[in-house]
Amino acid sequence: MPNVDVTQPLATRVATFWDLLGQMSADLDGASQPAAQDNAKRFLLHVAAHEGAMISLREQMAGGPARSFFQFEAHRAKDTLTYAQPRPFMAKLAAVGGCSVDDLAAATAALPSYGTPDAPFFPDGNLVQDLLAGNDLFGIYLARVAFKKIPAAIPVGNAAHGQYWYQYWKVSGGDPSQLVATFAQEADKVDAAIPVL
């Protein structure tokens, strides 16, 4: 499955990303509850649009440490991959990353933990950083696993998606009402570009 071509118009970027979301969803979410599956895909699209400058940036602006359209920092990637290890998710992540489970586990162990001074930063040459920067499907799988950790179900609707994103992904900083409103506006924009089958 190809990566998103960030030089293409928004509609093309969304169509490619939507296809990748469909592949992930079929693998990680199964075929049951199609409405919940569609809602989760839309939410992930909305997060990637907001965090990744309308699905155009895999690396944080101004040389920041975050990677993928979801803007994973190293400690969040480590937390998610640590959660994935005792579950079937790790093998799936390794498969879409084109690496072994052992290599992915070793790269995870090398990541800094939350609360350490270097928590946001990936070590040079780290496999997880490389996958997040260069493999959109891996980033989508990792983001889905990150949200599977959260006991609260993903709510329905773009404003509710914005609030859920702020509570569980953004976590702090900025004016929450303004950030949620901006998130919802961007969600409306990418929703209009989702391919109609």
Side-chain angles (χ1 to χ4, degrees), residues 11-39:
T12 305
R13 297 194 310 269
V14 169
T16 304
F17 199 81
W18 191 251
D19 286 345
L20 294 169
L21 285 166
Q23 182 177 333
M24 174 282 303
S25 187
D27 191 20
L28 294 187
D29 293 329
S32 64
Q33 301 182 329
Q37 202 173 354
D38 181 74
N39 184 54

PDB file of all heavy atoms in Angstrom, residues 11-39:
ATOM      1  N   ALA A  11      -7.904  16.342  -1.639  1.00  0.00           N
ATOM      2  CA  ALA A  11      -8.814  15.234  -1.935  1.00  0.00           C
ATOM      3  C   ALA A  11      -8.051  13.949  -2.234  1.00  0.00           C
ATOM      4  O   ALA A  11      -8.457  12.862  -1.805  1.00  0.00           O
ATOM      5  CB  ALA A  11      -9.719  15.593  -3.117  1.00  0.00           C
ATOM      6  N   THR A  12      -6.936  14.040  -2.928  1.00  0.00           N
ATOM      7  CA  THR A  12      -6.121  12.863  -3.238  1.00  0.00           C
ATOM      8  C   THR A  12      -5.442  12.339  -1.979  1.00  0.00           C
ATOM      9  O   THR A  12      -5.384  11.123  -1.750  1.00  0.00           O
ATOM     10  CB  THR A  12      -5.076  13.208  -4.313  1.00  0.00           C
ATOM     11  OG1 THR A  12      -5.753  13.744  -5.453  1.00  0.00           O
ATOM     12  CG2 THR A  12      -4.274  11.988  -4.722  1.00  0.00           C
ATOM     13  N   ARG A  13      -4.936  13.250  -1.156  1.00  0.00           N
ATOM     14  CA  ARG A  13      -4.311  12.831   0.094  1.00  0.00           C
ATOM     15  C   ARG A  13      -5.320  12.116   0.982  1.00  0.00           C
ATOM     16  O   ARG A  13      -5.017  11.072   1.574  1.00  0.00           O
ATOM     17  CB  ARG A  13      -3.709  14.036   0.836  1.00  0.00           C
ATOM     18  CG  ARG A  13      -2.600  14.729   0.067  1.00  0.00           C
ATOM     19  CD  ARG A  13      -1.778  15.690   0.898  1.00  0.00           C
ATOM     20  NE  ARG A  13      -2.495  16.662   1.689  1.00  0.00           N
ATOM     21  CZ  ARG A  13      -2.837  17.882   1.276  1.00  0.00           C
ATOM     22  NH1 ARG A  13      -2.564  18.288   0.040  1.00  0.00           N
ATOM     23  NH2 ARG A  13      -3.459  18.711   2.102  1.00  0.00           N
ATOM     24  N   VAL A  14      -6.519  12.671   1.093  1.00  0.00           N
ATOM     25  CA  VAL A  14      -7.555  12.051   1.925  1.00  0.00           C
ATOM     26  C   VAL A  14      -7.946  10.689   1.371  1.00  0.00           C
ATOM     27  O   VAL A  14      -8.102   9.723   2.131  1.00  0.00           O
ATOM     28  CB  VAL A  14      -8.787  12.976   2.055  1.00  0.00           C
ATOM     29  CG1 VAL A  14      -9.963  12.241   2.689  1.00  0.00           C
ATOM     30  CG2 VAL A  14      -8.437  14.212   2.881  1.00  0.00           C
ATOM     31  N   ALA A  15      -8.086  10.572   0.055  1.00  0.00           N
ATOM     32  CA  ALA A  15      -8.483   9.291  -0.548  1.00  0.00           C
ATOM     33  C   ALA A  15      -7.454   8.206  -0.250  1.00  0.00           C
ATOM     34  O   ALA A  15      -7.812   7.081   0.116  1.00  0.00           O
ATOM     35  CB  ALA A  15      -8.678   9.455  -2.052  1.00  0.00           C
ATOM     36  N   THR A  16      -6.172   8.528  -0.387  1.00  0.00           N
ATOM     37  CA  THR A  16      -5.127   7.546  -0.088  1.00  0.00           C
ATOM     38  C   THR A  16      -5.130   7.191   1.393  1.00  0.00           C
ATOM     39  O   THR A  16      -5.047   6.013   1.774  1.00  0.00           O
ATOM     40  CB  THR A  16      -3.745   8.082  -0.501  1.00  0.00           C
ATOM     41  OG1 THR A  16      -3.763   8.431  -1.882  1.00  0.00           O
ATOM     42  CG2 THR A  16      -2.655   7.049  -0.250  1.00  0.00           C
ATOM     43  N   PHE A  17      -5.239   8.200   2.240  1.00  0.00           N
ATOM     44  CA  PHE A  17      -5.246   7.971   3.682  1.00  0.00           C
ATOM     45  C   PHE A  17      -6.459   7.126   4.072  1.00  0.00           C
ATOM     46  O   PHE A  17      -6.358   6.231   4.915  1.00  0.00           O
ATOM     47  CB  PHE A  17      -5.254   9.318   4.414  1.00  0.00           C
ATOM     48  CG  PHE A  17      -4.824   9.233   5.843  1.00  0.00           C
ATOM     49  CD1 PHE A  17      -3.482   9.188   6.180  1.00  0.00           C
ATOM     50  CD2 PHE A  17      -5.759   9.209   6.869  1.00  0.00           C
ATOM     51  CE1 PHE A  17      -3.075   9.106   7.508  1.00  0.00           C
ATOM     52  CE2 PHE A  17      -5.372   9.132   8.193  1.00  0.00           C
ATOM     53  CZ  PHE A  17      -4.025   9.078   8.512  1.00  0.00           C
ATOM     54  N   TRP A  18      -7.604   7.392   3.465  1.00  0.00           N
ATOM     55  CA  TRP A  18      -8.832   6.641   3.751  1.00  0.00           C
ATOM     56  C   TRP A  18      -8.652   5.167   3.392  1.00  0.00           C
ATOM     57  O   TRP A  18      -9.102   4.278   4.115  1.00  0.00           O
ATOM     58  CB  TRP A  18     -10.004   7.258   3.009  1.00  0.00           C
ATOM     59  CG  TRP A  18     -11.328   6.724   3.440  1.00  0.00           C
ATOM     60  CD1 TRP A  18     -12.149   5.901   2.730  1.00  0.00           C
ATOM     61  CD2 TRP A  18     -12.016   6.972   4.673  1.00  0.00           C
ATOM     62  NE1 TRP A  18     -13.291   5.617   3.443  1.00  0.00           N
ATOM     63  CE2 TRP A  18     -13.233   6.268   4.644  1.00  0.00           C
ATOM     64  CE3 TRP A  18     -11.701   7.737   5.802  1.00  0.00           C
ATOM     65  CZ2 TRP A  18     -14.141   6.299   5.699  1.00  0.00           C
ATOM     66  CZ3 TRP A  18     -12.614   7.767   6.858  1.00  0.00           C
ATOM     67  CH2 TRP A  18     -13.823   7.048   6.790  1.00  0.00           C
ATOM     68  N   ASP A  19      -7.981   4.902   2.258  1.00  0.00           N
ATOM     69  CA  ASP A  19      -7.700   3.516   1.879  1.00  0.00           C
ATOM     70  C   ASP A  19      -6.816   2.832   2.922  1.00  0.00           C
ATOM     71  O   ASP A  19      -7.050   1.669   3.280  1.00  0.00           O
ATOM     72  CB  ASP A  19      -7.012   3.463   0.511  1.00  0.00           C
ATOM     73  CG  ASP A  19      -7.960   3.747  -0.649  1.00  0.00           C
ATOM     74  OD1 ASP A  19      -9.190   3.712  -0.449  1.00  0.00           O
ATOM     75  OD2 ASP A  19      -7.460   4.005  -1.762  1.00  0.00           O
ATOM     76  N   LEU A  20      -5.794   3.542   3.395  1.00  0.00           N
ATOM     77  CA  LEU A  20      -4.925   2.985   4.428  1.00  0.00           C
ATOM     78  C   LEU A  20      -5.708   2.729   5.719  1.00  0.00           C
ATOM     79  O   LEU A  20      -5.504   1.697   6.373  1.00  0.00           O
ATOM     80  CB  LEU A  20      -3.756   3.928   4.697  1.00  0.00           C
ATOM     81  CG  LEU A  20      -2.750   4.111   3.552  1.00  0.00           C
ATOM     82  CD1 LEU A  20      -1.794   5.261   3.855  1.00  0.00           C
ATOM     83  CD2 LEU A  20      -1.982   2.829   3.291  1.00  0.00           C
ATOM     84  N   LEU A  21      -6.582   3.648   6.073  1.00  0.00           N
ATOM     85  CA  LEU A  21      -7.418   3.451   7.262  1.00  0.00           C
ATOM     86  C   LEU A  21      -8.295   2.210   7.114  1.00  0.00           C
ATOM     87  O   LEU A  21      -8.495   1.461   8.078  1.00  0.00           O
ATOM     88  CB  LEU A  21      -8.307   4.683   7.499  1.00  0.00           C
ATOM     89  CG  LEU A  21      -7.620   5.909   8.075  1.00  0.00           C
ATOM     90  CD1 LEU A  21      -8.528   7.130   7.932  1.00  0.00           C
ATOM     91  CD2 LEU A  21      -7.243   5.702   9.531  1.00  0.00           C
ATOM     92  N   GLY A  22      -8.806   1.988   5.914  1.00  0.00           N
ATOM     93  CA  GLY A  22      -9.641   0.814   5.667  1.00  0.00           C
ATOM     94  C   GLY A  22      -8.872  -0.479   5.857  1.00  0.00           C
ATOM     95  O   GLY A  22      -9.384  -1.450   6.430  1.00  0.00           O
ATOM     96  N   GLN A  23      -7.625  -0.507   5.385  1.00  0.00           N
ATOM     97  CA  GLN A  23      -6.791  -1.691   5.561  1.00  0.00           C
ATOM     98  C   GLN A  23      -6.537  -1.950   7.042  1.00  0.00           C
ATOM     99  O   GLN A  23      -6.666  -3.082   7.518  1.00  0.00           O
ATOM    100  CB  GLN A  23      -5.467  -1.520   4.818  1.00  0.00           C
ATOM    101  CG  GLN A  23      -4.566  -2.728   4.924  1.00  0.00           C
ATOM    102  CD  GLN A  23      -3.289  -2.565   4.118  1.00  0.00           C
ATOM    103  OE1 GLN A  23      -3.237  -1.854   3.134  1.00  0.00           O
ATOM    104  NE2 GLN A  23      -2.241  -3.247   4.548  1.00  0.00           N
ATOM    105  N   MET A  24      -6.188  -0.894   7.782  1.00  0.00           N
ATOM    106  CA  MET A  24      -5.948  -1.045   9.216  1.00  0.00           C
ATOM    107  C   MET A  24      -7.206  -1.504   9.931  1.00  0.00           C
ATOM    108  O   MET A  24      -7.182  -2.421  10.755  1.00  0.00           O
ATOM    109  CB  MET A  24      -5.461   0.288   9.800  1.00  0.00           C
ATOM    110  CG  MET A  24      -5.314   0.309  11.323  1.00  0.00           C
ATOM    111  SD  MET A  24      -6.864   0.485  12.263  1.00  0.00           S
ATOM    112  CE  MET A  24      -7.526   2.012  11.614  1.00  0.00           C
ATOM    113  N   SER A  25      -8.323  -0.870   9.614  1.00  0.00           N
ATOM    114  CA  SER A  25      -9.560  -1.157  10.329  1.00  0.00           C
ATOM    115  C   SER A  25     -10.004  -2.603  10.122  1.00  0.00           C
ATOM    116  O   SER A  25     -10.445  -3.269  11.061  1.00  0.00           O
ATOM    117  CB  SER A  25     -10.652  -0.184   9.872  1.00  0.00           C
ATOM    118  OG  SER A  25     -11.802  -0.337  10.646  1.00  0.00           O
ATOM    119  N   ALA A  26      -9.874  -3.097   8.903  1.00  0.00           N
ATOM    120  CA  ALA A  26     -10.235  -4.485   8.635  1.00  0.00           C
ATOM    121  C   ALA A  26      -9.371  -5.435   9.456  1.00  0.00           C
ATOM    122  O   ALA A  26      -9.833  -6.482   9.904  1.00  0.00           O
ATOM    123  CB  ALA A  26     -10.082  -4.778   7.140  1.00  0.00           C
ATOM    124  N   ASP A  27      -8.124  -5.063   9.685  1.00  0.00           N
ATOM    125  CA  ASP A  27      -7.191  -5.917  10.419  1.00  0.00           C
ATOM    126  C   ASP A  27      -7.355  -5.794  11.937  1.00  0.00           C
ATOM    127  O   ASP A  27      -7.393  -6.790  12.650  1.00  0.00           O
ATOM    128  CB  ASP A  27      -5.764  -5.550  10.014  1.00  0.00           C
ATOM    129  CG  ASP A  27      -4.728  -6.543  10.500  1.00  0.00           C
ATOM    130  OD1 ASP A  27      -5.090  -7.694  10.823  1.00  0.00           O
ATOM    131  OD2 ASP A  27      -3.541  -6.177  10.552  1.00  0.00           O
ATOM    132  N   LEU A  28      -7.465  -4.572  12.432  1.00  0.00           N
ATOM    133  CA  LEU A  28      -7.493  -4.366  13.884  1.00  0.00           C
ATOM    134  C   LEU A  28      -8.894  -4.283  14.481  1.00  0.00           C
ATOM    135  O   LEU A  28      -9.073  -4.573  15.655  1.00  0.00           O
ATOM    136  CB  LEU A  28      -6.728  -3.097  14.258  1.00  0.00           C
ATOM    137  CG  LEU A  28      -5.223  -3.081  14.007  1.00  0.00           C
ATOM    138  CD1 LEU A  28      -4.604  -1.822  14.594  1.00  0.00           C
ATOM    139  CD2 LEU A  28      -4.546  -4.315  14.570  1.00  0.00           C
ATOM    140  N   ASP A  29      -9.862  -3.855  13.701  1.00  0.00           N
ATOM    141  CA  ASP A  29     -11.213  -3.669  14.239  1.00  0.00           C
ATOM    142  C   ASP A  29     -12.190  -4.739  13.799  1.00  0.00           C
ATOM    143  O   ASP A  29     -13.289  -4.822  14.332  1.00  0.00           O
ATOM    144  CB  ASP A  29     -11.753  -2.285  13.864  1.00  0.00           C
ATOM    145  CG  ASP A  29     -10.985  -1.161  14.540  1.00  0.00           C
ATOM    146  OD1 ASP A  29     -10.490  -1.375  15.657  1.00  0.00           O
ATOM    147  OD2 ASP A  29     -10.868  -0.074  13.951  1.00  0.00           O
ATOM    148  N   GLY A  30     -11.832  -5.531  12.798  1.00  0.00           N
ATOM    149  CA  GLY A  30     -12.714  -6.596  12.343  1.00  0.00           C
ATOM    150  C   GLY A  30     -13.917  -6.052  11.583  1.00  0.00           C
ATOM    151  O   GLY A  30     -14.012  -4.863  11.295  1.00  0.00           O
ATOM    152  N   ALA A  31     -14.823  -6.937  11.251  1.00  0.00           N
ATOM    153  CA  ALA A  31     -15.967  -6.565  10.419  1.00  0.00           C
ATOM    154  C   ALA A  31     -17.218  -6.258  11.225  1.00  0.00           C
ATOM    155  O   ALA A  31     -18.234  -5.855  10.672  1.00  0.00           O
ATOM    156  CB  ALA A  31     -16.267  -7.683   9.424  1.00  0.00           C
ATOM    157  N   SER A  32     -17.173  -6.458  12.535  1.00  0.00           N
ATOM    158  CA  SER A  32     -18.377  -6.209  13.338  1.00  0.00           C
ATOM    159  C   SER A  32     -18.547  -4.718  13.594  1.00  0.00           C
ATOM    160  O   SER A  32     -17.594  -3.949  13.552  1.00  0.00           O
ATOM    161  CB  SER A  32     -18.287  -6.968  14.663  1.00  0.00           C
ATOM    162  OG  SER A  32     -17.208  -6.474  15.415  1.00  0.00           O
ATOM    163  N   GLN A  33     -19.747  -4.317  13.827  1.00  0.00           N
ATOM    164  CA  GLN A  33     -20.110  -2.941  14.153  1.00  0.00           C
ATOM    165  C   GLN A  33     -19.558  -1.934  13.133  1.00  0.00           C
ATOM    166  O   GLN A  33     -18.687  -1.120  13.436  1.00  0.00           O
ATOM    167  CB  GLN A  33     -19.639  -2.581  15.561  1.00  0.00           C
ATOM    168  CG  GLN A  33     -20.227  -3.478  16.621  1.00  0.00           C
ATOM    169  CD  GLN A  33     -19.796  -3.098  18.015  1.00  0.00           C
ATOM    170  OE1 GLN A  33     -18.703  -2.589  18.230  1.00  0.00           O
ATOM    171  NE2 GLN A  33     -20.671  -3.348  18.977  1.00  0.00           N
ATOM    172  N   PRO A  34     -20.078  -1.973  11.903  1.00  0.00           N
ATOM    173  CA  PRO A  34     -19.563  -1.086  10.860  1.00  0.00           C
ATOM    174  C   PRO A  34     -19.689   0.399  11.197  1.00  0.00           C
ATOM    175  O   PRO A  34     -18.837   1.194  10.804  1.00  0.00           O
ATOM    176  CB  PRO A  34     -20.380  -1.450   9.616  1.00  0.00           C
ATOM    177  CG  PRO A  34     -21.491  -2.312  10.085  1.00  0.00           C
ATOM    178  CD  PRO A  34     -21.119  -2.875  11.405  1.00  0.00           C
ATOM    179  N   ALA A  35     -20.711   0.790  11.939  1.00  0.00           N
ATOM    180  CA  ALA A  35     -20.850   2.219  12.287  1.00  0.00           C
ATOM    181  C   ALA A  35     -19.715   2.656  13.213  1.00  0.00           C
ATOM    182  O   ALA A  35     -19.130   3.731  13.026  1.00  0.00           O
ATOM    183  CB  ALA A  35     -22.204   2.480  12.943  1.00  0.00           C
ATOM    184  N   ALA A  36     -19.380   1.828  14.196  1.00  0.00           N
ATOM    185  CA  ALA A  36     -18.277   2.156  15.104  1.00  0.00           C
ATOM    186  C   ALA A  36     -16.944   2.151  14.355  1.00  0.00           C
ATOM    187  O   ALA A  36     -16.075   2.982  14.608  1.00  0.00           O
ATOM    188  CB  ALA A  36     -18.241   1.168  16.263  1.00  0.00           C
ATOM    189  N   GLN A  37     -16.802   1.221  13.427  1.00  0.00           N
ATOM    190  CA  GLN A  37     -15.582   1.136  12.617  1.00  0.00           C
ATOM    191  C   GLN A  37     -15.422   2.402  11.774  1.00  0.00           C
ATOM    192  O   GLN A  37     -14.343   2.994  11.717  1.00  0.00           O
ATOM    193  CB  GLN A  37     -15.684  -0.096  11.722  1.00  0.00           C
ATOM    194  CG  GLN A  37     -14.387  -0.630  11.227  1.00  0.00           C
ATOM    195  CD  GLN A  37     -14.587  -1.958  10.490  1.00  0.00           C
ATOM    196  OE1 GLN A  37     -15.675  -2.531  10.444  1.00  0.00           O
ATOM    197  NE2 GLN A  37     -13.521  -2.446   9.910  1.00  0.00           N
ATOM    198  N   ASP A  38     -16.497   2.840  11.134  1.00  0.00           N
ATOM    199  CA  ASP A  38     -16.453   4.061  10.318  1.00  0.00           C
ATOM    200  C   ASP A  38     -16.143   5.277  11.191  1.00  0.00           C
ATOM    201  O   ASP A  38     -15.343   6.139  10.810  1.00  0.00           O
ATOM    202  CB  ASP A  38     -17.790   4.259   9.591  1.00  0.00           C
ATOM    203  CG  ASP A  38     -17.782   5.497   8.719  1.00  0.00           C
ATOM    204  OD1 ASP A  38     -17.130   5.469   7.647  1.00  0.00           O
ATOM    205  OD2 ASP A  38     -18.403   6.514   9.101  1.00  0.00           O
ATOM    206  N   ASN A  39     -16.725   5.328  12.367  1.00  0.00           N
ATOM    207  CA  ASN A  39     -16.481   6.452  13.270  1.00  0.00           C
ATOM    208  C   ASN A  39     -15.017   6.494  13.711  1.00  0.00           C
ATOM    209  O   ASN A  39     -14.414   7.573  13.759  1.00  0.00           O
ATOM    210  CB  ASN A  39     -17.400   6.354  14.495  1.00  0.00           C
ATOM    211  CG  ASN A  39     -17.247   7.540  15.419  1.00  0.00           C
ATOM    212  OD1 ASN A  39     -17.371   8.695  15.013  1.00  0.00           O
ATOM    213  ND2 ASN A  39     -16.968   7.262  16.680  1.00  0.00           N
TER     214      ASN A  39
END
